[in-house]
Amino acid sequence: LHIAILASILFLTIYWIIRDRYRVRNLNGKHVFITGCDTGLGNSLAKWLDKKGFCVIAACATEKGSQELRSCSSLSLKTVNLNLADSNSIARAVVFVTEQTAGKGLFGLVSNAEGTAPIGPTDWLRVEDFHSVLDVSLLGLIEITLKLLPLLKKAEGRIVNLIHAKGLMAFVGGGYSLSKWGMEAFSDTLRIEMQHFGVKVSIVEHGFFKAEVNSDFIEKHLFKLWNRLTPEIRDSYGEKYLVE
């Protein structure tokens, strides 16, 4: 029994070493579409893949973000404006990606976008507060993934969904954790279904970044939520609850 366990461990170790050494070759002409490229992880990834030789199509929410990214990248990197809460904007981005790939299909789709996420006790929130994050970080990402599946299947590409690990800890009310758990479930289901077409689906659960910590913003938003509460709800919590 011990020998069998050791043999299994050795086999898995060798397998992972070989797998980790695998590198994508012939990068020329391989298109990768990345969402959420104005700043942060999406921005850094777009620059890195551009330097590696991929044909990067970077989706930005603002024209300023697009201009800044193009100014420090190669001419092969293309940008497109994208509002994931707007189906028309998604449709325009899909048309742009289809034109850029010119019949080759899409080698990679990296989903990296986060909507505005109100933080506070659940009964301080309204349904539109949930929409503000779910429409972008869950439904928007699902919609653009579905519309790009034909291009991904054509190239036997891969989908990589970047999911912040803090979204998997349900310690505060709101739609943030809901969106992350939803993307986990969507990715796991899609992975099984796309195997038939040679399309890989991966989840990357990344950690915290120093630049993301903004206690002043969180405090300001909590007071904003507090001030719009009905007197009954405020009385049920008490002023001391907010201060502590």
Side-chain angles (χ1 to χ4, degrees):
L1 180 61
H2 293 295
I3 295 176
I5 294 174
L6 289 173
S8 298
I9 294 173
L10 179 61
F11 172 79
L12 289 173
T13 302
I14 295 173
Y15 170 77
W16 281 111
I17 291 174
I18 295 174
R19 182 174 178 177
D20 286 347
R21 288 183 177 179
Y22 174 76
R23 295 292 183 271
V24 177
R25 303 186 185 278
N26 301 320
L27 305 183
N28 185 36
K30 286 184 167 60
H31 290 81
V32 179
F33 179 59
I34 310 171
T35 66
C37 293
D38 292 81
T39 59
L41 191 55
N43 184 276
S44 298
L45 180 62
K47 295 175 182 175
W48 186 76
L49 291 180
D50 177 55
K51 291 179 180 179
K52 288 291 183 181
F54 285 97
C55 298
V56 176
I57 306 172
C60 298
T62 65
E63 184 58 34
K64 179 182 177 182
S66 295
Q67 291 177 356
E68 291 179 348
L69 184 55
R70 287 196 301 268
S71 68
C72 58
S73 304
S74 73
L75 294 177
S76 67
L77 183 143
K78 308 296 181 182
T79 61
V80 60
N81 291 337
L82 176 62
N83 177 4
L84 283 169
D86 181 356
S87 291
N88 291 326
S89 179
I90 290 174
R92 289 191 294 269
V94 170
V95 169
F96 182 81
V97 173
T98 302
E99 292 173 348
Q100 291 297 315
T101 55
K104 298 178 181 178
L106 186 62
F107 179 76
L109 166 62
V110 181
S111 292
N112 168 59
E114 297 193 354
T116 304
I119 297 175
T122 299
D123 64 348
W124 291 21
L125 303 174
R126 301 170 181 171
V127 68
E128 54 263 32
D129 296 322
F130 287 84
H131 276 293
S132 68
V133 61
L134 293 176
D135 287 350
V136 173
S137 298
L138 179 58
L139 299 178
L141 290 180
I142 289 175
E143 182 175 353
I144 199 164
T145 300
L146 295 177
K147 290 185 175 179
L148 289 173
L149 280 180
L151 294 179
L152 289 158
K153 288 159 68 175
K154 186 170 187 176
E156 293 189 355
R158 64 282 321 275
I159 299 168
V160 180
N161 290 323
L162 305 182
I163 300 176
H164 204 306
K166 70 183 180 184
L168 305 178
M169 299 177 286
F171 59 88
V172 67
Y176 191 82
S177 292
L178 292 177
S179 70
K180 302 311 170 189
W181 288 2
M183 281 305 295
E184 292 264 352
F186 175 72
S187 302
D188 289 343
T189 302
L190 193 63
R191 182 184 304 113
I192 297 171
E193 297 169 346
M194 287 296 107
Q195 285 180 351
H196 175 73
F197 301 98
V199 176
K200 299 178 177 64
V201 180
S202 302
I203 298 171
V204 175
E205 296 173 351
H206 60 88
F208 293 78
F209 295 93
K210 186 177 180 180
E212 294 175 338
V213 180
N214 191 335
S215 58
D216 291 338
F217 173 80
I218 295 174
E219 183 178 346
K220 181 180 179 180
H221 194 80
L222 280 173
F223 276 100
K224 182 179 179 181
L225 291 176
W226 176 263
N227 291 330
R228 79 177 190 186
L229 293 176
T230 64
E232 290 78 13
I233 295 180
R234 276 204 298 264
D235 290 343
S236 69
Y237 282 89
E239 296 283 348
K240 189 177 180 181
Y241 182 91
L242 181 63
V243 175
E244 293 180 349

